[in-house]
């Protein structure tokens, strides 16, 4: 693959901002290069722009090289950067499945990039040929999300592979919910497919949505472009230190995931008994897509009882569906007792 064919012209030739700390490597006794306040308080210095200590730890956990990682302000940052790196505004386009995560389309709009939706088949199944048929000479990116939001299901691996192999441009696989599924991550295929970008996040299973830290994994060449385009100090030191420490708590994360998965089964079984619930879609994530008799009415009734669900009734293939996140056992008790 000739990656440069898919890079925006101005990004190919961009000279990135050079940080003070980029120009000097080694130990120093005196730092008077960055106009910082010299009095130590733990945070008076600019943070590592490439977050190497944190990436080394993530790399060990995920079985990749630190140089294959880009960290962002949530996964939303790499999603936006994909357009800024790979798509010429007003010219190039992206192809995505529908329904899927809303930010792919919003960031396309912000970047003035055409966003072409390919509707999933019955049961939210992926049809690779349909996706590939939507590709034209200006398609630079294909978005896949597995397990998919808001449908909750894993996409078929063979169909996904067909797309990665059959498309010469960039394929992004969003694995925000991978921790809730037994399926193998696409991270293991990074070295095999040089057009692949995998997104993961600390916002879901890791319980750190408030911290805003997302991960993009790709070839060293692609990560080089991410590093060139991102804000120099995009991950602040508080976040770098906090996530570094949280990475020691894998066992706690797994314990919580186990409870969430048990609660998901319980919620699905109990919701299925409610007369107003018409269908519960199978989920490989930490939420259920639930078809009810009247989603707008039920959304309002639950909201009046101070229970907030996500009304997806206006989303492709999701008529009369609410998306319900699996809560704590106590939260699920309340939800189940209030749905009549
Ligand atoms: C929640 C979610 C994310 C995570 O976004 P962050 O910016 O990392 O919080 C990414 N992709 C999908 C599909 C999601 O549902």
């Amino acid at each position: 693959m000739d990656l440069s064919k898919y890079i925006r012209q101005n990004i190919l030739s961009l000279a990135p901002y050079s940080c003070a700390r980029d120009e000097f490597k080694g130990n120093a006794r005196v730092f008077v290069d960055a106009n910082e306040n010299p009095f130590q308080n733990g945070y008076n210095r600019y943070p590592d722009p490439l977050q190497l200590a944190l990436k080394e730890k993530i790399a060990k956990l995920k079985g990749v090289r630190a140089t294959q990682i880009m960290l962002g302000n949530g996964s939303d940052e790499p999603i936006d950067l994909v357009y800024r790196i790979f798509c010429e505004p007003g010219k190039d386009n992206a192809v995505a499945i529908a329904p899927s995560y809303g930010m792919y389309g919003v960031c396309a709009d912000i970047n003035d990039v055409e966003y072409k939706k390919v509707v999933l088949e019955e049961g939210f199944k992926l049809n690779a040929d349909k996706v590939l048929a939507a590709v034209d000479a200006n398609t630079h990116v294909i978005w896949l999300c597995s397990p998919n939001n808001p449908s909750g299901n894993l996409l078929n691996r063979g169909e996904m592979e067909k797309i990665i192999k059959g498309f010469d441009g960039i394929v992004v696989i969003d694995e925000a919910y991978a921790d809730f599924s037994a399926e193998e991550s696409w991270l293991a295929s990074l070295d095999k497919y040089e057009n692949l970008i995998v997104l993961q996040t600390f916002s879901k299973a890791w319980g750190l949505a408030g911290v805003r830290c997302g991960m993009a994994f790709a070839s060293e060449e692609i990560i080089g472009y991410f590093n060139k385009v991102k804000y120099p100090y995009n991950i602040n030191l508080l976040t770098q230190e906090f996530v570094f420490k949280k990475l020691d708590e894998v066992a706690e994360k797994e314990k919580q995931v186990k409870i969430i998965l048990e609660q998901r089964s319980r919620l699905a079984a109990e919701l299925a008994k409610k007369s107003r619930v018409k269908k519960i879609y199978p989920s490989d994530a930490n939420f259920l897509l639930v078809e009810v008799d009247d989603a707008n009415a039920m959304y309002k009734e639950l909201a009046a009882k101070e229970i907030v669900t996500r009304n997806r009734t206006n989303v492709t293939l999701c008529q009369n569906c609410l998306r319900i996140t699996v809560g704590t056992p106590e939260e699920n008790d309340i939800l189940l007792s209030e749905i009549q």
Side-chain angles (χ1 to χ4, degrees), residues 74-76 101 104 145 149 174 176-177 201 203-204 212-214:
S75 333
D76 291 343
Y101 185 46
Y104 315 141
C145 181
N149 178 6
D174 188 340
Y177 300 98
T201 179
S203 295
K204 306 287 156 66
R212 309 307 302 135
C213 191

Side-chain angles (χ1 to χ4, degrees), residues 84-96:
R84 292 168 63 194
I85 295 166
F86 297 106
C87 297
E88 201 77 58
K91 174 170 173 272
D92 298 329
N93 66 65
V95 168

Side-chain angles (χ1 to χ4, degrees), residues 212-259:
R212 309 307 302 135
C213 191
M215 299 162 268
F217 302 88
S219 70
E220 270 91 358
E221 195 182 359
I222 290 176
I223 294 301
Y225 284 103
F226 274 109
N227 289 339
K228 204 166 142 172
V229 175
K230 74 177 186 68
Y231 292 158
Y233 305 107
N234 63 324
I235 306 292
N236 70 68
L237 184 55
L238 292 163
T239 298
Q240 291 188 41
E241 291 176 341
F242 190 75
V243 175
F244 187 90
K245 270 200 264 155
K246 278 285 171 184
L247 282 167
D248 292 332
E249 297 175 22
V250 177
E252 179 61 24
K253 181 206 73 169
E254 282 169 4
K255 202 172 104 193
Q256 292 177 357
V257 166
K258 190 164 167 279
I259 296 171

